[in-house]
Amino acid sequence: MILKITPTIICWEIWKQWCACKYGGQRYFHRNKMCYQAIGNIKAVLKRTLISFHGNNNWPDFCLENERLRSIQRIRQVTWQMPSVGTLKINSDGSYIRENGRDGIGGLVRNSHGDLLMAFSIPIYSSSSNMAEAMAAELGVKWCYQFGHTNFTLELDSMDLVNTLNNSEITNMKLKPMIDSINNIQNKVQMQVRHCYREGNQVADFLAKMASNSNQTLITHSYNILPIQVRGAFLLDKWQLPSIRCKYDRANFFKLVSCLFHLLEGTS
């Protein structure tokens, strides 16, 4: 970690000393002062980023303490939750690949036993991942409403879209037609919008990626028609077997750089 931030800090301190000599009337480089400020800035960055870091005054001990600190990997089990008796659940997802322009939406509707009622995998054109997510959610909600289902849950792994639907606050006008369509149906039925982790939305994720990769449309009401990899994820959900979610804490290089520049701006 020190090796990542030290070169930037040293270059900054050298630049400050050079400017002080050329423009500020300073006659020569203050090497000891430069080293002291560089070490102080490194310690300040680490203290702000790593709560457990104390920062000894002795440089060897300081380096040793830092090397003992590692990003913490947090592991949790994520299980798809079946809907309550008498209700349905929609899981949907969008796949947006900006580089090749091949996008897709996928999703499925299941009952309280985890049985499949409908699944879809459709190539589309969208201008963002949020638009793809919204189009997938709209299709699932419309299907439930058109077939007379009035009590269902829409579950998404996009927190932005969940907040937009629950708060009815549209900041992206390109999403407005889809959001308005979903909200219009929501006012007519008993519908809840919930967020889930991506690990709990794997079937919809597979279907969306399959549409963008294969460029083929699939709409089915039968489990046997689903591709093999989708069937595997589907059975994990039906049997209530958990997936593993691994996440590292935010004590990483990008946060260090952000803190570093914030501190350097304060010393300039």
Side-chain angles (χ1 to χ4, degrees):
M1 188 179 297
I2 293 178
L3 293 177
K4 292 179 179 179
I5 64 176
T6 298
T8 305
I9 292 179
I10 291 176
C11 290
W12 175 255
E13 293 299 333
I14 293 175
W15 172 256
K16 286 170 59 180
Q17 287 292 317
W18 182 83
C19 290
C21 291
K22 186 169 184 178
Y23 303 110
Q26 185 173 304
R27 299 181 62 183
Y28 53 87
F29 271 48
H30 294 162
R31 186 175 64 87
N32 291 336
K33 179 180 178 181
M34 184 177 63
C35 293
Y36 177 80
Q37 289 182 343
I39 294 173
N41 283 330
I42 293 173
K43 290 182 178 180
V45 171
L46 296 177
K47 285 180 181 179
R48 289 191 58 176
T49 307
L50 304 171
I51 299 176
S52 58
F53 180 79
H54 302 291
N56 298 314
N57 293 326
N58 182 275
W59 178 253
D61 293 340
F62 168 75
C63 294
L64 182 62
E65 180 182 356
N66 173 69
E67 289 304 313
R68 291 196 186 101
L69 298 172
R70 293 289 184 271
S71 295
I72 301 174
Q73 185 182 33
R74 306 186 185 281
I75 300 175
R76 65 180 300 172
Q77 294 183 347
V78 178
T79 305
W80 177 76
Q81 299 297 319
M82 290 190 182
S84 56
V85 177
T87 66
L88 305 179
K89 177 175 283 190
I90 308 165
N91 284 90
S92 64
D93 201 3
S95 175
Y96 173 71
I97 306 176
R98 184 176 182 179
E99 288 74 16
N100 57 21
R102 298 174 64 176
D103 312 324
I105 59 175
L108 69 164
V109 182
R110 288 173 280 192
N111 61 18
S112 58
H113 300 290
D115 298 325
L116 178 67
L117 299 185
M118 186 275 291
F120 61 91
S121 176
I122 304 173
I124 59 160
Y125 170 77
S126 63
S127 59
S128 67
S129 58
N130 284 336
M131 177 175 284
E133 296 267 5
M135 294 173 70
E138 181 188 22
L139 195 154
V141 170
K142 280 185 173 180
W143 184 90
C144 286
Y145 181 69
Q146 290 173 357
F147 281 84
H149 302 291
T150 58
N151 193 343
F152 51 87
T153 299
L154 173 63
E155 195 170 68
L156 311 168
D157 59 25
S158 170
M159 182 63 79
D160 289 340
L161 185 56
V162 170
N163 291 335
T164 299
L165 291 171
N166 285 330
N167 300 327
S168 299
E169 296 179 357
I170 305 174
T171 56
N172 187 344
M173 297 310 295
K174 292 183 178 180
L175 304 183
K176 191 175 188 305
M178 287 80 76
I179 301 301
D180 287 344
S181 175
I182 295 174
N183 285 335
N184 183 46
I185 295 176
Q186 188 174 14
N187 293 331
K188 300 176 182 179
V189 299
Q190 297 181 30
M191 170 183 155
Q192 294 181 327
V193 182
R194 295 178 180 172
H195 175 261
C196 67
Y197 290 120
R198 184 171 297 276
E199 291 78 6
N201 202 37
Q202 292 189 70
V203 183
D205 182 60
F206 276 129
L207 290 168
K209 290 179 179 177
M210 185 179 72
S212 62
N213 292 329
S214 67
N215 204 32
Q216 296 181 352
T217 297
L218 171 67
I219 301 178
T220 181
H221 304 278
S222 172
Y223 161 81
N224 295 322
I225 304 299
L226 295 175
I228 294 178
Q229 65 270 28
V230 178
R231 275 186 272 174
F234 180 90
L235 290 177
L236 286 177
D237 289 348
K238 185 176 176 62
W239 295 338
Q240 294 291 275
L241 297 177
S243 298
I244 304 301
R245 176 179 173 84
C246 298
K247 186 178 180 181
Y248 289 88
D249 63 7
R250 295 182 179 273
N252 54 30
F253 173 67
F254 299 103
K255 186 171 181 181
L256 285 174
V257 171
S258 176
C259 293
L260 171 63
F261 281 107
H262 177 76
L263 289 170
L264 294 181
E265 287 175 359
T267 60
S268 59

